[in-house]
Amino acid sequence: MKEIINCAAYSQGRRIADVKLDHVHETLRETNQFVWIGLHEPSEEILTRVQKEFGLHDLAVEDAHTAHQRSKVEMYGNSVFIVIRTAQINLERHIDFGETHFFVGANFIVTVRHGSSVSYADVRLRCENSPVLLGKGQGFALYAVMDFIVDKYFPVVHELEQSLEKLEDKIFNEKPSRETTEQIYQLKRELLEVKRAISPLVDICNRLMRFDIGCISEETRPYFRDVYDNVVRINEIMDNTRELLNTALEANFSLISISQNDVSKKFAGWAAIIAIPTMVAGFYGMNFRFMPEVEWEYGFYAVIVLTIVACSLLYYFFRKSGWL
Amino acid sequence: MKEIINCAAYSQGRRIADVKLDHVHETLRETNQFVWIGLHEPSEEILTRVQKEFGLHDLAVEDAHTAHQRSKVEMYGNSVFIVIRTAQINLERHIDFGETHFFVGANFIVTVRHGSSVSYADVRLRCENSPVLLGKGQGFALYAVMDFIVDKYFPVVHELEQSLEKLEDKIFNEKPSRETTEQIYQLKRELLEVKRAISPLVDICNRLMRFDIGCISEETRPYFRDVYDNVVRINEIMDNTRELLNTALEANFSLISISQNDVSKKFAGWAAIIAIPTMVAGFYGMNFRFMPEVEWEYGFYAVIVLTIVACSLLYYFFRKSGWL
Amino acid sequence: MKEIINCAAYSQGRRIADVKLDHVHETLRETNQFVWIGLHEPSEEILTRVQKEFGLHDLAVEDAHTAHQRSKVEMYGNSVFIVIRTAQINLERHIDFGETHFFVGANFIVTVRHGSSVSYADVRLRCENSPVLLGKGQGFALYAVMDFIVDKYFPVVHELEQSLEKLEDKIFNEKPSRETTEQIYQLKRELLEVKRAISPLVDICNRLMRFDIGCISEETRPYFRDVYDNVVRINEIMDNTRELLNTALEANFSLISISQNDVSKKFAGWAAIIAIPTMVAGFYGMNFRFMPEVEWEYGFYAVIVLTIVACSLLYYFFRKSGWL
Amino acid sequence: MKEIINCAAYSQGRRIADVKLDHVHETLRETNQFVWIGLHEPSEEILTRVQKEFGLHDLAVEDAHTAHQRSKVEMYGNSVFIVIRTAQINLERHIDFGETHFFVGANFIVTVRHGSSVSYADVRLRCENSPVLLGKGQGFALYAVMDFIVDKYFPVVHELEQSLEKLEDKIFNEKPSRETTEQIYQLKRELLEVKRAISPLVDICNRLMRFDIGCISEETRPYFRDVYDNVVRINEIMDNTRELLNTALEANFSLISISQNDVSKKFAGWAAIIAIPTMVAGFYGMNFRFMPEVEWEYGFYAVIVLTIVACSLLYYFFRKSGWL
Amino acid sequence: MKEIINCAAYSQGRRIADVKLDHVHETLRETNQFVWIGLHEPSEEILTRVQKEFGLHDLAVEDAHTAHQRSKVEMYGNSVFIVIRTAQINLERHIDFGETHFFVGANFIVTVRHGSSVSYADVRLRCENSPVLLGKGQGFALYAVMDFIVDKYFPVVHELEQSLEKLEDKIFNEKPSRETTEQIYQLKRELLEVKRAISPLVDICNRLMRFDIGCISEETRPYFRDVYDNVVRINEIMDNTRELLNTALEANFSLISISQNDVSKKFAGWAAIIAIPTMVAGFYGMNFRFMPEVEWEYGFYAVIVLTIVACSLLYYFFRKSGWL
């Protein structure tokens, strides 16, 4: 996969030219234009060239090179450096995490994708199709990509909710098992990981829509409020799911105990039933010289029949009182 | 059901005319008047016409079209866009969630109902019956509808409280069962859902009664404090109920264990009682040549009687010491 | 019980005259005077007259008519409306909740009692006995009643603490029982209810001692700090009690399990002891032709004695190792 | 014990004279001097005299008379009233709580000790030995006593930590017992009590080091930061200990269950072993005419030996698989 | 080990001279220079000399002498005193805690190492190799050492995460044991200790990057933001790990109960199987004169075979229904 996905200049919301990375500084001299560059896991060399063209801060470029950052927004003079963790459901229905870094300046925006994530070429295309909006500047491009990233979280959250529902089914309709308990734990693990990825976004959106950041035009700010709303919603769903999951763990535990109760009661019930023939046999096994009906031809059968009747009555009684 | 429920102009608290949606902009030119429009799940076309008439922001209209928003308040220049999640008890005593969106501007208010919710025609009627209050402007109309929505939450909360009380009854007076545990879990689920719907209203009311919003006249602000009080009360009741529910889950668990204890003790007690005849029979079953009373005619009966007496004594003793 | 308990004018801390409700507005015209009215569950008619005399806000009067409000303080222009939930221990040692509403203005204070609560006639008397303090104005009268209300919470809290101590006794010194678990739950319920009544008072006192409220003279503010201290203390005790109660519930649970352990061990121990005679009897019950001592006259007795000795040894051994 | 422990005037950090309480106001007239009075559970009469000499506020003096206050700091005009709860380990290694009240004004400091606490005579002596520091004024005297009080908390906290460690030992190395569970509960109780005493100090120190309090010279403020650090450290240790204690309670509970598991497995294992001889004896006890080896002289012994061998094999097998 | 590790003067990022401690004040007179001193557990004498040379505050020097401080930052006039707790993994894979104190002034930085920690000589070397950065002044030296300290926390956190993963393996794949429970507890203990060491750093970095501290040049502030990011990340990982650990403890508990269930079910199943031969033998042990097949030569063997068949059928049935 190539490192430089896209590098184009925009004026009044329209793509006017594809630019070579080394000629970007010439384009930047024009007013009413901005450059939008899309990189994918760029080499150090490319990043250094980008840094030189846009005059980026050392620390930001260093950060952009290493993945596994925390989502954050940092201001360096007139430009902003933003890190956002991405998440999406892959084909095996697992969650893939990635990272996208943004450099936004007075007349440029650079996006740097790390890890598994969908290309932003579609977002760019959609932006180019509504030049009025893209005409609001690179701030709108930033919004478009962030919105796309946050939208990708919804299926992730939905997947987690569905996993919880499947677990509920197992907990309340199946026998308690080691697997269910382990799955609850693993779901909690995933939940915490997603939560850790999404929660700093609340603060980031807040700063983008509140603070006076030169390179983001004022008319694009309501758009970040839109992203903010989505982030807060995702956060709330995550918190709810987490609390439900904790309750599910406890409910699961209660049901394990109830199931233990059932085993004990069943065992006790059957033990009581079996005690009858044991006792009868024991008594008729005693070596007394005179015992009733011992000499009778059908004594043995009579005793067996009586025993079975007694057992059946006890069984019926236990059944009714809920012990069996 | 029609989409435009109502569309009228008000002056000094009195309904002066029904207006056609397309002529609204003419009415808006008059001073000392405001237009109150009630929509129900409007089509995109209607919304676009409303947007054009009142000059609403794209993002707000887009939001108004899609349900399943989070309750929120957003300011766009001079107008305010408010989303409020509604909840009510339906005939099957379940909770139905809906959503109402408000656009409030200098001389208009538009309400957009989504999902299941009661019509606001009654609220409008009540407002029209007290022209002094409605004369305070569209801010009062907003208050009236919000107050109506929040009031609808009280039966919901009451239903949840009653469900908890029924569960308490089951927990403390009936045998522990899988159903009770599942019901606790389901109640928690409902509680979290209602809580998620109502809790953002605290912040919304706060902003409506504190901030200086042009389209809401200052004399209507104390009214939003009234809504705020109700919302805070509902929130407090929900939090209490949640904490009680958590405690109920734990208490339920304790009682399951106590019930297990009871089973074990009962079983142990009966096992001890049955051990007596087993032992006696065993001993008299031994093949010694000389055993006491074996030759005696009533030996068998004497042993049985003695065994029963011993068992009864043990039974009495266990009963007294709480093992049976 | 009459609705108007008291209605008097005060000047420089001294009661100068009893006033008729309808003549209050004349008294209010005098400077350096304030009127103190005490109402008890007043009818709508009385409230309307009070409203007219003092020029109170509609919403406040509406609130004053309905009980079951949340404790709160609201400012309406120059006057303040305060709702405070009261609690006290009744003769059956249960907690009764009530509510008192206050209207405080430039030269008047109206108290409205709802639900079960002690009359404030005593407080008024005590105030009249220290004219220097009451000379600070209606703010001091407000303080005096609020202090009285908060003081009534201490026995309530004390009662809850004692209930917890009694429960501790039961948990650690008696056998685990369904009753104890239910009592823990019920105590939690009461605790949450009291907590809900008292906790908004922290914020109310804070506002009364911090904010610049015209109708409360500055020299009375330190007195509200005094009430604030008491409220905070009660809150802290409640939080402690709640956390202890949660721990008690868990400790109770642990003890139920230990008790289950004891049952199991006791049962296992006795089962082992009883296994000895069963086995011996079983072996001597076998139909071999040649068995030791079967022909011996005292064989039967010897076997029984040996069995008892073996059982006793096992009993002694289990006793020592803690299984019995 | 006398009520007035000490009453002296200080100038430039040096004790210049012992003063009689009734002549204090004369001393106060001198500039560059301050009076330091130490009281111990003073009578109302003494307090009234102190109040008159220093012109203290009624509410503060009232508070100073009654113990069982909450730690707090209150400003009355130019003077400050501070309440601090003290704690120390007594000879029986229990925790004794006390209370010290401070009145600090422009040129005086009064300390009032309540309940069990060590005398501050030593602190005074140490202060007098470093006149440079004491020369910073009564603010330094306040710091010296507060520092002394907070230092006394460290052994308390240490004692609690050691109690927890002893409990850990019991939990993980001894058999689960009712005593351990009760001790965990009691430790929690003590912890909450100490926490309640120390935690308001964070806020108090914060205010003393941040706010502009006339009677505390600016150069003494860093010293209160020192006390603040200690208080925060104690608080953190308490929070850690509390969280560990909660975990210990749960771990204890897990171990009770594991121990229950062990009992069950042991019981099941031995029951299985004993089932062998029972079954063998049962079969040879049947009254068939033709059974193998019944006529053989050593049949009985052969069966017993075989049974013992079978039991031993089963024992060995259970041992290996962890059931015994 | 010597106490003074290093003492050198820097100008424009280059080491220009090693300085004797007693001549430092001469060096300090030069402009555009700063002195960087590295101490390791210095004696009181050395600290006093350092204090005299740099004019440090008594309280700060006192703190620097005693280890076991809380991480904190304190401003004394123009200089800053910083305490940072260090942590690292030692060769036995345990966590060693240490402490480093910093005095930073207008033209000097003093680092004081306590407890086990790696020497900062490497950091100094690295700084000297990039004179452009070190030219930003002593603020950069402070950053370099802090960054080094925080980086050392990552392996610690990683170790804790791995311990948790090992525990998960044990919990979900091995039999529940006392050891696992104790290890969960011990991991919680370590986690809390590390958390207590790292968490105050959030606030410290915040103050260093926000506040206007004279001795830290403005261009070094973004670097502290870098440290801040790392600290926040570590904190988040710790919080996640803690929550997972709590869940693991509960999951472990659930599995103990499931394992108890399994024991009970297995026991009940086998007891039922063994009940068959016991009953059969009992019945054929009865002393009736007429019993079926008793006279038959192969009766005994037939009964045994039938019994085994019955037992096998029951075994097969239990196996299928999950009781064995």
Side-chain angles (χ1 to χ4, degrees), chain D residues 168 225 229 232 236 240 243 247 253 257 261 264 279 287-290 292, chain E residues 70 72 74-75 185 188-189 196 242 253 259-260 284-286 294-295:
Chain D
E168 286 174 14
R225 199 161 57 192
D229 276 344
V232 170
E236 281 185 356
N240 261 20
E243 187 160 355
T247 311
F253 198 10
S257 281
N261 260 13
S264 295
M279 226 178 337
N287 293 315
F288 286 97
R289 185 154 305 225
F290 306 100
Chain E
R70 201 182 157 256
K72 64 178 173 183
E74 291 188 347
M75 262 149 273
Y185 182 83
K188 178 86 172 256
R189 206 178 229 292
R196 182 144 70 96
R242 177 155 64 162
F253 198 10
S259 156
Q260 170 76 3
Y284 271 98
M286 293 194 292
V294 172
E295 309 287 323

CSV table of all heavy atoms in Angstrom, one decimal, chain D residues 168 225 229 232 236 240 243 247 253 257 261 264 279 287-290 292, chain E residues 70 72 74-75 185 188-189 196 242 253 259-260 284-286 294-295:
chain,number,residue,atom,x,y,z
D,168,GLU,N,-5.0,-10.1,56.8
D,168,GLU,CA,-4.6,-10.8,55.6
D,168,GLU,C,-4.0,-12.2,56.0
D,168,GLU,O,-4.3,-13.2,55.4
D,168,GLU,CB,-3.5,-10.0,54.8
D,168,GLU,CG,-4.0,-8.8,54.1
D,168,GLU,CD,-2.9,-8.0,53.5
D,168,GLU,OE1,-1.8,-8.4,53.4
D,168,GLU,OE2,-3.2,-6.8,53.2
D,225,ARG,N,1.1,24.4,54.0
D,225,ARG,CA,1.2,23.5,52.9
D,225,ARG,C,1.8,22.1,53.4
D,225,ARG,O,1.5,21.1,52.9
D,225,ARG,CB,2.0,24.1,51.8
D,225,ARG,CG,1.9,23.5,50.5
D,225,ARG,CD,2.3,24.4,49.4
D,225,ARG,NE,3.7,24.8,49.6
D,225,ARG,CZ,4.3,25.7,48.9
D,225,ARG,NH1,3.7,26.4,48.0
D,225,ARG,NH2,5.6,26.0,49.1
D,229,ASP,N,0.2,18.5,53.0
D,229,ASP,CA,0.8,17.3,52.4
D,229,ASP,C,0.6,16.1,53.3
D,229,ASP,O,0.2,15.0,52.8
D,229,ASP,CB,2.3,17.6,52.2
D,229,ASP,CG,2.6,18.3,50.9
D,229,ASP,OD1,1.7,18.3,50.1
D,229,ASP,OD2,3.7,18.8,50.8
D,232,VAL,N,-3.0,15.0,53.2
D,232,VAL,CA,-3.4,14.3,51.9
D,232,VAL,C,-2.8,12.9,51.9
D,232,VAL,O,-3.4,11.9,51.5
D,232,VAL,CB,-2.9,15.1,50.7
D,232,VAL,CG1,-3.0,14.3,49.4
D,232,VAL,CG2,-3.7,16.4,50.6
D,236,GLU,N,-4.8,9.4,51.6
D,236,GLU,CA,-4.5,8.5,50.5
D,236,GLU,C,-4.3,7.1,51.1
D,236,GLU,O,-4.8,6.1,50.6
D,236,GLU,CB,-3.3,8.9,49.7
D,236,GLU,CG,-3.6,10.0,48.7
D,236,GLU,CD,-2.4,10.2,47.8
D,236,GLU,OE1,-1.3,9.6,48.1
D,236,GLU,OE2,-2.5,11.1,46.9
D,240,ASN,N,-6.5,3.8,50.3
D,240,ASN,CA,-6.0,2.5,49.9
D,240,ASN,C,-6.3,1.4,50.8
D,240,ASN,O,-6.8,0.3,50.4
D,240,ASN,CB,-4.4,2.6,49.9
D,240,ASN,CG,-3.9,2.9,48.5
D,240,ASN,OD1,-4.6,3.3,47.6
D,240,ASN,ND2,-2.6,2.6,48.3
D,243,GLU,N,-9.9,0.3,50.3
D,243,GLU,CA,-10.1,-0.5,49.1
D,243,GLU,C,-9.5,-1.9,49.3
D,243,GLU,O,-10.2,-2.9,48.9
D,243,GLU,CB,-9.5,0.2,47.9
D,243,GLU,CG,-9.9,-0.6,46.6
D,243,GLU,CD,-9.8,0.3,45.4
D,243,GLU,OE1,-9.5,1.5,45.4
D,243,GLU,OE2,-10.0,-0.3,44.3
D,247,THR,N,-11.5,-5.6,49.3
D,247,THR,CA,-11.0,-6.7,48.5
D,247,THR,C,-10.8,-7.9,49.4
D,247,THR,O,-11.1,-9.0,49.1
D,247,THR,CB,-9.7,-6.3,47.7
D,247,THR,OG1,-9.9,-5.1,47.1
D,247,THR,CG2,-9.4,-7.4,46.8
D,253,PHE,N,-14.3,-14.2,51.4
D,253,PHE,CA,-15.5,-14.9,51.0
D,253,PHE,C,-15.2,-16.0,50.0
D,253,PHE,O,-15.7,-17.1,50.1
D,253,PHE,CB,-16.5,-13.9,50.4
D,253,PHE,CG,-17.9,-14.3,50.3
D,253,PHE,CD1,-18.3,-15.5,51.0
D,253,PHE,CD2,-18.8,-13.6,49.6
D,253,PHE,CE1,-19.6,-15.9,50.9
D,253,PHE,CE2,-20.1,-14.0,49.5
D,253,PHE,CZ,-20.5,-15.1,50.2
D,257,SER,N,-15.8,-20.2,50.3
D,257,SER,CA,-16.4,-21.1,49.4
D,257,SER,C,-15.4,-22.2,48.9
D,257,SER,O,-15.9,-23.3,48.7
D,257,SER,CB,-16.8,-20.3,48.1
D,257,SER,OG,-18.0,-19.6,48.4
D,261,ASN,N,-15.9,-26.1,49.2
D,261,ASN,CA,-15.6,-27.1,48.1
D,261,ASN,C,-14.8,-28.2,48.6
D,261,ASN,O,-15.0,-29.4,48.3
D,261,ASN,CB,-14.8,-26.4,47.0
D,261,ASN,CG,-15.7,-26.0,45.9
D,261,ASN,OD1,-16.9,-26.0,46.0
D,261,ASN,ND2,-15.1,-25.6,44.8
D,264,SER,N,-16.8,-30.6,50.7
D,264,SER,CA,-17.7,-31.5,49.9
D,264,SER,C,-16.9,-32.6,49.1
D,264,SER,O,-17.3,-33.7,49.1
D,264,SER,CB,-18.3,-30.6,48.8
D,264,SER,OG,-19.2,-29.7,49.4
D,279,MET,N,-21.1,-52.3,49.8
D,279,MET,CA,-21.6,-53.1,48.7
D,279,MET,C,-21.2,-54.6,48.8
D,279,MET,O,-22.1,-55.5,48.6
D,279,MET,CB,-21.1,-52.5,47.4
D,279,MET,CG,-22.3,-52.4,46.4
D,279,MET,SD,-21.8,-51.6,44.9
D,279,MET,CE,-20.3,-50.7,45.2
D,287,ASN,N,-29.3,-63.9,50.6
D,287,ASN,CA,-29.6,-65.3,51.1
D,287,ASN,C,-29.7,-66.3,49.9
D,287,ASN,O,-30.5,-67.2,49.9
D,287,ASN,CB,-30.9,-65.3,51.9
D,287,ASN,CG,-30.8,-64.5,53.2
D,287,ASN,OD1,-29.8,-64.7,53.9
D,287,ASN,ND2,-31.7,-63.7,53.5
D,288,PHE,N,-28.8,-66.2,48.9
D,288,PHE,CA,-28.8,-67.2,47.9
D,288,PHE,C,-28.2,-68.5,48.5
D,288,PHE,O,-27.3,-68.4,49.3
D,288,PHE,CB,-27.9,-66.7,46.7
D,288,PHE,CG,-28.6,-65.7,45.9
D,288,PHE,CD1,-28.4,-64.3,46.1
D,288,PHE,CD2,-29.6,-66.1,44.9
D,288,PHE,CE1,-29.1,-63.4,45.3
D,288,PHE,CE2,-30.2,-65.1,44.2
D,288,PHE,CZ,-30.0,-63.8,44.4
D,289,ARG,N,-28.7,-69.5,48.0
D,289,ARG,CA,-28.1,-70.8,48.4
D,289,ARG,C,-26.7,-71.0,47.9
D,289,ARG,O,-25.9,-71.5,48.6
D,289,ARG,CB,-29.0,-72.0,48.0
D,289,ARG,CG,-28.6,-73.3,48.5
D,289,ARG,CD,-29.8,-74.2,48.5
D,289,ARG,NE,-30.9,-73.6,49.3
D,289,ARG,CZ,-31.6,-74.3,50.2
D,289,ARG,NH1,-31.4,-75.5,50.5
D,289,ARG,NH2,-32.6,-73.6,50.9
D,290,PHE,N,-26.5,-70.6,46.7
D,290,PHE,CA,-25.2,-70.9,46.1
D,290,PHE,C,-24.4,-69.6,45.9
D,290,PHE,O,-24.8,-68.8,45.0
D,290,PHE,CB,-25.3,-71.6,44.8
D,290,PHE,CG,-26.1,-72.9,44.9
D,290,PHE,CD1,-27.4,-72.9,44.6
D,290,PHE,CD2,-25.5,-74.0,45.5
D,290,PHE,CE1,-28.2,-74.1,44.7
D,290,PHE,CE2,-26.3,-75.2,45.7
D,290,PHE,CZ,-27.6,-75.2,45.3
D,292,PRO,N,-20.3,-67.8,45.8
D,292,PRO,CA,-18.9,-68.3,45.7
D,292,PRO,C,-18.2,-68.2,47.0
D,292,PRO,O,-18.3,-67.2,47.7
D,292,PRO,CB,-18.3,-67.4,44.6
D,292,PRO,CG,-19.2,-66.2,44.7
D,292,PRO,CD,-20.5,-66.6,45.1
E,70,ARG,N,5.1,12.3,49.4
E,70,ARG,CA,4.2,12.1,48.4
E,70,ARG,C,4.6,12.9,47.2
E,70,ARG,O,5.2,14.0,47.3
E,70,ARG,CB,2.8,12.7,48.9
E,70,ARG,CG,1.6,12.2,48.2
E,70,ARG,CD,0.4,12.9,48.7
E,70,ARG,NE,-0.6,12.8,47.6
E,70,ARG,CZ,-1.0,13.8,46.9
E,70,ARG,NH1,-0.4,15.0,47.0
E,70,ARG,NH2,-1.8,13.7,45.9
E,72,LYS,N,4.8,15.7,44.6
E,72,LYS,CA,4.2,17.0,44.7
E,72,LYS,C,5.1,18.0,44.1
E,72,LYS,O,6.2,17.8,43.8
E,72,LYS,CB,4.0,17.3,46.2
E,72,LYS,CG,5.3,17.5,47.0
E,72,LYS,CD,5.0,17.9,48.4
E,72,LYS,CE,6.3,17.8,49.2
E,72,LYS,NZ,6.1,18.1,50.6
E,74,GLU,N,6.0,22.2,44.7
E,74,GLU,CA,5.8,23.3,45.5
E,74,GLU,C,6.6,24.5,45.1
E,74,GLU,O,7.8,24.4,44.8
E,74,GLU,CB,6.2,23.0,47.0
E,74,GLU,CG,5.2,22.0,47.6
E,74,GLU,CD,5.4,21.7,49.0
E,74,GLU,OE1,6.5,22.2,49.5
E,74,GLU,OE2,4.6,21.1,49.7
E,75,MET,N,6.0,25.7,45.1
E,75,MET,CA,6.7,26.9,44.7
E,75,MET,C,7.2,27.6,45.9
E,75,MET,O,6.4,27.9,46.8
E,75,MET,CB,5.8,27.7,43.8
E,75,MET,CG,6.1,27.5,42.3
E,75,MET,SD,4.7,27.7,41.3
E,75,MET,CE,4.0,26.1,41.4
E,185,TYR,N,-5.5,-10.9,45.3
E,185,TYR,CA,-5.4,-9.9,46.3
E,185,TYR,C,-4.1,-9.2,46.3
E,185,TYR,O,-4.0,-8.0,46.4
E,185,TYR,CB,-5.6,-10.6,47.7
E,185,TYR,CG,-5.6,-9.6,48.8
E,185,TYR,CD1,-6.7,-8.8,49.1
E,185,TYR,CD2,-4.4,-9.4,49.5
E,185,TYR,CE1,-6.7,-7.9,50.2
E,185,TYR,CE2,-4.4,-8.5,50.6
E,185,TYR,CZ,-5.5,-7.7,50.9
E,185,TYR,OH,-5.4,-6.8,51.9
E,188,LYS,N,-3.8,-6.8,43.5
E,188,LYS,CA,-4.6,-5.5,43.8
E,188,LYS,C,-3.7,-4.6,44.7
E,188,LYS,O,-3.7,-3.4,44.5
E,188,LYS,CB,-5.8,-5.9,44.5
E,188,LYS,CG,-6.7,-4.8,45.0
E,188,LYS,CD,-7.6,-4.4,43.9
E,188,LYS,CE,-8.6,-3.4,44.3
E,188,LYS,NZ,-10.0,-3.9,44.5
E,189,ARG,N,-3.1,-5.2,45.7
E,189,ARG,CA,-2.2,-4.4,46.6
E,189,ARG,C,-1.1,-3.7,45.8
E,189,ARG,O,-0.9,-2.5,46.0
E,189,ARG,CB,-1.6,-5.4,47.6
E,189,ARG,CG,-1.2,-4.8,48.9
E,189,ARG,CD,-0.6,-5.8,49.8
E,189,ARG,NE,-1.2,-5.8,51.1
E,189,ARG,CZ,-1.0,-4.8,52.0
E,189,ARG,NH1,-0.3,-3.7,51.7
E,189,ARG,NH2,-1.6,-4.8,53.2
E,196,ARG,N,-0.9,4.8,43.5
E,196,ARG,CA,-0.7,5.9,44.5
E,196,ARG,C,0.6,6.7,44.1
E,196,ARG,O,0.7,7.9,44.4
E,196,ARG,CB,-0.6,5.3,45.9
E,196,ARG,CG,-0.4,6.4,47.0
E,196,ARG,CD,-1.1,6.0,48.2
E,196,ARG,NE,-0.5,4.9,48.9
E,196,ARG,CZ,0.4,4.9,49.9
E,196,ARG,NH1,0.7,6.1,50.3
E,196,ARG,NH2,0.9,3.9,50.4
E,242,ARG,N,-7.4,-2.3,37.2
E,242,ARG,CA,-8.1,-2.4,38.5
E,242,ARG,C,-9.5,-2.9,38.3
E,242,ARG,O,-9.9,-3.8,39.0
E,242,ARG,CB,-8.0,-1.1,39.2
E,242,ARG,CG,-8.8,-1.2,40.5
E,242,ARG,CD,-8.3,-0.1,41.5
E,242,ARG,NE,-8.6,1.2,41.0
E,242,ARG,CZ,-8.6,2.3,41.8
E,242,ARG,NH1,-8.4,2.1,43.1
E,242,ARG,NH2,-8.9,3.5,41.3
E,253,PHE,N,-14.9,-16.2,41.8
E,253,PHE,CA,-15.8,-16.6,42.8
E,253,PHE,C,-17.0,-17.4,42.1
E,253,PHE,O,-17.4,-18.4,42.6
E,253,PHE,CB,-16.4,-15.3,43.5
E,253,PHE,CG,-17.1,-15.6,44.8
E,253,PHE,CD1,-17.0,-16.8,45.4
E,253,PHE,CD2,-17.8,-14.6,45.4
E,253,PHE,CE1,-17.6,-17.1,46.6
E,253,PHE,CE2,-18.4,-14.9,46.6
E,253,PHE,CZ,-18.3,-16.1,47.2
E,259,SER,N,-17.8,-24.9,40.3
E,259,SER,CA,-17.1,-26.1,40.7
E,259,SER,C,-17.7,-26.8,41.8
E,259,SER,O,-17.7,-28.1,41.9
E,259,SER,CB,-15.6,-25.6,41.0
E,259,SER,OG,-15.0,-26.5,41.8
E,260,GLN,N,-18.3,-26.1,42.8
E,260,GLN,CA,-19.0,-26.7,43.9
E,260,GLN,C,-20.2,-27.4,43.4
E,260,GLN,O,-20.5,-28.5,43.8
E,260,GLN,CB,-19.4,-25.6,44.9
E,260,GLN,CG,-20.4,-26.0,46.0
E,260,GLN,CD,-19.7,-26.8,47.0
E,260,GLN,OE1,-18.5,-27.0,47.0
E,260,GLN,NE2,-20.5,-27.2,48.0
E,284,TYR,N,-32.4,-59.0,48.8
E,284,TYR,CA,-32.1,-60.4,48.8
E,284,TYR,C,-31.5,-60.8,50.1
E,284,TYR,O,-31.3,-62.0,50.3
E,284,TYR,CB,-31.2,-60.8,47.6
E,284,TYR,CG,-31.9,-61.1,46.4
E,284,TYR,CD1,-32.2,-60.2,45.4
E,284,TYR,CD2,-32.5,-62.4,46.3
E,284,TYR,CE1,-32.9,-60.5,44.3
E,284,TYR,CE2,-33.3,-62.7,45.2
E,284,TYR,CZ,-33.5,-61.8,44.2
E,284,TYR,OH,-34.2,-62.1,43.1
E,285,GLY,N,-31.3,-59.9,51.0
E,285,GLY,CA,-30.8,-60.2,52.3
E,285,GLY,C,-31.9,-60.4,53.3
E,285,GLY,O,-31.7,-60.8,54.4
E,286,MET,N,-33.2,-60.1,52.9
E,286,MET,CA,-34.3,-60.3,53.7
E,286,MET,C,-34.5,-61.8,54.0
E,286,MET,O,-34.2,-62.7,53.2
E,286,MET,CB,-35.6,-59.7,53.1
E,286,MET,CG,-35.5,-58.2,53.0
E,286,MET,SD,-37.0,-57.4,52.7
E,286,MET,CE,-37.3,-57.9,51.0
E,294,VAL,N,-33.8,-67.8,44.6
E,294,VAL,CA,-32.8,-68.0,45.7
E,294,VAL,C,-32.1,-69.4,45.6
E,294,VAL,O,-31.0,-69.6,45.9
E,294,VAL,CB,-33.4,-67.7,47.1
E,294,VAL,CG1,-32.4,-68.1,48.2
E,294,VAL,CG2,-33.8,-66.3,47.2
E,295,GLU,N,-32.9,-70.3,45.2
E,295,GLU,CA,-32.5,-71.7,45.2
E,295,GLU,C,-31.7,-72.0,43.9
E,295,GLU,O,-31.0,-73.0,43.8
E,295,GLU,CB,-33.7,-72.7,45.3
E,295,GLU,CG,-34.6,-72.4,46.4
E,295,GLU,CD,-34.1,-72.7,47.8
E,295,GLU,OE1,-33.3,-73.8,47.9
E,295,GLU,OE2,-34.3,-72.0,48.7
